Amino acid sequence: PAGMEPSQVAIIGSGLIGCSWAMVFAAGGFKVKLYDIAQQQLTSALENIRKQMKELEESGFLKGALSAEQQLALISICTDLRAAAEGATFIQECTPENLELKKKIFSQLDLIVDDNVILSSSTSCLLPSKLFTGLKHVKQCIVSHPVNPPYFVPLVEIVPHPETDPSTTERTYALMKTIGQSPVKLNREIEGFVLNRLQYAVISEAWRLVGEGLISPTDLDLVMSDGLGMRYAFIGPLETMHLNAEGISNYCERYREGMRLVLNTFGPVPEFSGEIEQKISQAMSEKIPVVPKVLDARRKRRDEYLTGLAKLKKQMKSD
Ligand code: NAI
């Protein structure tokens, strides 16, 4: 319900993902307290956010109804965890992917918070049962896994601990909708959640095909970017099946045997090391040298593509 939505959130950790969450929440009109251990980190994070917001505003891609200045005014920084959590009804943790560190932070928060605040982690791989077991407020704990860069890629995987209260899941889901993200609910935890399981399925077959010398690394990437990816930006694999025949059952009738035949030729899980790693690394480095300047330029280009795609999806009201 709208009345229950939090108006103030805390972001714990002001790195890449923490800054993105701060921008997404500010765009949604929320007051944001950004916490980190070092004042210097916070000052440069805020400067970075300011710069990004100004650029987005100039190019017409700033999210939300408020101006960049108004959004910036919603964000404050602090190095005191208790002060950061004070008044927040939703706390998004964005510290480095380290179980011991995250557990320490959640146990500190566990002592500070009341029975209403939601404690949410951005973790990409750590399971809720590893992060939250034993906390007094485990019912209020959840994983909200974003996709980089969250400002343009809206998906958030919501993953509960076995003891998470259903209302925590529902409130988190509703909050993500309110700020314009695209939440999905997992009914229970699983290694890799769903996004990375799909991603790793693609990566492993890509690795095997290139490793076998069946296709070049650059052509492999084209199969996705100029092939599969074109439709996956708008419709998922299940709808693709549904539309590629007269519905799912007709698709299965037509293709189940063929699919099983192909799937049975898949190789084992790759080592992701040795000769194949060398080969793929060499090919990719020829195209994109591994130097910060070049990588940053390519990342900027990637974000421009994603900005354009986000705009297109909005125009076309894709669901
Ligand atoms: P990052 O290294 O850019 O930022 C981490 C921040 O945490 C730094 O500002 C650091 O100063 C701060 N920090 C370190 N110790 C702290 C403490 N004790 N208390 C408060 N802050 C502390 O990392 P990044 O990339 O932002 O990742 C954060 C989380 O988001 C990780 O769990 C990561 O797995 C997850 N994630 C990252 C994605 C990515 O593509 N980078 C995508 C989705 C999730």
Side-chain angles (χ1 to χ4, degrees):
M4 281 178 66
E5 274 151 20
S7 59
Q8 186 176 317
V9 299
I11 308 290
I12 310 302
S14 63
L16 183 69
I17 294 297
C19 286
S20 291
W21 275 120
M23 288 169 66
V24 170
F25 277 108
F30 286 79
K31 272 175 81 176
V32 179
K33 281 196 192 162
L34 191 52
Y35 165 87
D36 210 300
I37 33 177
Q39 183 67 39
Q40 180 52 41
Q41 166 61 27
L42 280 171
T43 315
S44 61
L46 199 56
E47 196 39 54
N48 174 24
I49 290 174
R50 174 187 303 278
K51 201 172 140 236
Q52 284 193 61
M53 280 189 180
K54 291 285 178 194
E55 281 177 18
L56 288 163
E57 188 168 57
E58 273 163 34
S59 56
F61 288 118
L62 188 74
K63 285 191 177 180
L66 305 172
S67 70
E69 276 309 325
Q70 287 170 321
Q71 294 188 23
L72 277 165
L74 290 170
I75 305 176
S76 59
I77 53 179
C78 79
T79 52
D80 181 84
L81 191 61
R82 191 175 283 275
E86 178 87 50
T89 44
F90 187 86
I91 299 178
Q92 183 71 24
E93 171 276 321
C94 313
T95 59
E97 191 76 344
N98 173 317
L99 179 62
E100 289 315 311
L101 173 66
K102 286 189 194 285
K103 277 175 73 171
K104 195 181 101 196
I105 288 162
F106 281 109
S107 64
Q108 287 171 349
L109 288 168
D110 200 31
L111 298 175
I112 297 173
V113 299
D114 65 19
D115 293 341
N116 287 313
V117 62
I118 291 176
L119 298 176
S120 170
S121 175
S122 300
T123 185
S124 345
C125 325
L126 302 169
L127 296 178
S129 60
K130 291 273 187 309
L131 285 170
F132 305 134
T133 296
L135 294 181
K136 195 170 67 173
H137 294 94
V138 63
K139 285 183 179 169
Q140 296 151 241
C141 293
I142 200 146
V143 164
S144 305
H145 171 227
V147 187
N148 194 38
Y151 203 79
F152 300 113
V153 185
L155 189 84
V156 179
E157 292 184 284
I158 298 180
V159 192
H161 181 280
E163 290 170 70
T164 298
D165 195 275
S167 71
T168 301
T169 310
E170 294 312 321
R171 280 171 63 200
T172 305
Y173 186 89
L175 177 63
M176 292 302 148
K177 284 268 197 196
T178 301
I179 57 173
Q181 298 301 95
S182 176
V184 295
K185 286 180 237 174
L186 274 62
N187 294 324
R188 59 176 175 85
E189 65 179 30
I190 186 167
E191 283 77 9
F193 309 144
V194 173
L195 182 134
N196 274 324
R197 292 180 79 87
L198 292 182
Q199 172 162 248
Y200 294 162
V202 170
I203 286 178
S204 61
E205 183 58 4
W207 200 266
R208 285 187 291 257
L209 292 173
V210 173
E212 285 166 17
L214 190 129
I215 189 168
S216 72
T218 43
D219 277 359
L220 185 291
D221 270 357
L222 273 182
V223 171
M224 188 55 83
S225 61
D226 279 350
L228 277 181
M230 296 285 287
R231 50 165 97 107
Y232 281 172
F234 292 90
I235 63 170
L238 300 179
E239 186 172 337
T240 297
M241 291 168 79
H242 203 58
L243 301 185
N244 277 1
E246 302 308 310
I248 291 283
S249 294
N250 181 247
Y251 187 96
C252 291
E253 195 185 309
R254 285 198 220 172
Y255 301 116
R256 66 163 64 89
E257 230 165 279
M259 273 196 294
R260 290 176 50 80
L261 229 138
V262 173
L263 283 164
N264 277 317
T265 67
F266 278 35
V269 173
E271 296 290 339
F272 299 112
S273 64
E275 259 176 53
I276 302 178
E277 180 199 336
Q278 289 301 321
K279 176 179 162 177
I280 297 180
S281 171
Q282 200 186 338
M284 292 308 297
S285 310
E286 258 167 44
K287 186 177 162 195
I288 306 165
V290 184
V291 289
K293 216 177 113 191
V294 180
L295 289 175
D296 280 341
R298 295 293 288 209
R299 290 186 188 114
K300 195 153 187 267
R301 205 172 83 132
R302 173 201 66 191
D303 291 352
E304 283 164 12
Y305 291 150
L306 291 171
T307 312
L309 187 58
K311 192 177 163 192
L312 180 65
K313 279 176 72 99
K314 202 172 165 188
Q315 272 172 10
M316 303 194 77
K317 293 203 173 29
S318 130
D319 58 4

